[in-house]
């Protein structure tokens, strides 16, 4: 019974449909939530102003302050732990050839880059006191989408190489 289930559902990461669904959802969510604010809220505030703009400014202020507080409070610990985590995944995945670790690494590494972009954008918004906030949020979203596209391309390329090398056909 187990053999039949494992033949039906491929348990390797790069040939598993669920991995690709998770990858798409991760990058879709990352580009939709700009600094913790849904992007449709940015568009609505830009078009209609008024209460929508006040709500957006409040949400951005809250999320920028929250992110800045976390960076000030435990930024070095978070950096150290994420470096340890990524290095461990990289070594386990690419040196010891564990496909699951490779798959997680190819999602986690670019997301750390997006986190760094978020911290930079939050600092800029706070320093500008909200002036030019719309443009900063749009630029942050475009940068996140570019990182996501490159990440998906690299992951798909690596996944195809793995599937061809391991004979998934």
């Amino acid at each position: 019974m187990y053999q039949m289930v494992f033949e039906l559902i491929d348990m390797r990461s790069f040939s598993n449909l669920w991995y690709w669904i998770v990858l798409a959802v991760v990058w879709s969510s990352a580009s939709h939530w700009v600094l913790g604010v849904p992007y449709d809220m940015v568009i609505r505030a830009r078009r209609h102003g008024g209460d929508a703009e006040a709500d957006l400014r409040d949400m951005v202020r809250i999320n920028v302050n929250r992110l800045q507080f976390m960076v000030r409070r435990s930024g070095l610990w978070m950096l150290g732990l994420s470096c340890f985590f990524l290095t461990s995944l990289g070594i386990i995945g690419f040196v010891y050839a564990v496909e699951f670790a490779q798959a997680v690494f190819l999602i986690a590494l670019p997301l750390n880059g997006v986190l760094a972009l978020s911290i930079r954008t939050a600092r800029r918004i706070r320093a500008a006191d909200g002036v030019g906030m719309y443009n900063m949020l749009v630029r942050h979203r475009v940068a996140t989408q570019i990182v996501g596209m490159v990440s998906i391309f690299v992951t798909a390329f690596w996944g195809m190489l793995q599937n061809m090398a391991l004979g998934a056909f």
Side-chain angles (χ1 to χ4, degrees):
M1 181 70 174
Y2 287 118
Q3 184 178 1
M4 187 169 63
V5 169
F6 283 118
E7 285 177 9
L8 183 63
I9 302 171
D10 192 0
M11 298 307 282
R12 294 183 309 128
S13 297
F14 295 114
S15 60
N16 193 332
L17 178 63
W18 290 108
Y19 174 74
W20 297 104
I21 291 172
V22 166
L23 183 70
V25 167
V26 162
W27 285 110
S28 175
S29 297
S31 67
H32 178 70
W33 291 90
V34 181
L35 289 180
V37 177
Y39 192 69
D40 62 296
M41 191 174 190
V42 176
I43 293 171
R44 188 173 45 245
R46 191 176 230 179
R47 284 185 187 157
H48 303 295
D51 288 340
E53 184 175 2
D55 291 345
L56 175 70
R57 288 195 179 278
D58 289 341
M59 289 259 315
V60 169
R61 180 185 51 79
I62 289 167
N63 287 325
V64 162
N65 288 341
R66 182 175 166 262
L67 186 60
Q68 291 296 307
F69 175 77
M70 287 188 325
V71 168
R72 275 193 316 272
R73 190 75 162 172
S74 58
L76 285 176
W77 281 103
M78 291 184 337
L79 178 66
L81 286 174
S82 67
C83 287
F84 172 76
F85 178 69
L86 288 172
T87 302
S88 299
L89 279 175
I91 290 171
I92 292 168
F94 297 103
V95 174
Y96 293 109
V98 175
E99 190 173 320
F100 182 73
Q102 292 172 3
V104 173
F105 180 82
L106 289 172
I107 292 175
L109 181 66
L111 281 177
N112 274 338
V114 170
L115 177 62
L117 286 172
S118 296
I119 292 169
R120 189 185 91 196
T121 302
R123 284 186 179 156
R124 285 183 174 181
I125 288 174
R126 191 169 193 188
D129 201 26
V131 176
M133 177 182 65
Y134 291 115
N135 291 334
M136 289 184 218
L137 291 173
V138 168
R139 272 189 259 130
H140 179 70
R141 182 173 193 237
V142 169
T144 300
Q145 288 175 329
I146 290 170
V147 170
M149 286 188 299
V150 170
S151 171
I152 290 170
F153 176 77
V154 169
T155 303
F157 184 76
W158 184 256
M160 284 188 302
L161 284 176
Q162 290 294 348
N163 288 337
M164 288 190 310
L166 296 173
F169 301 105

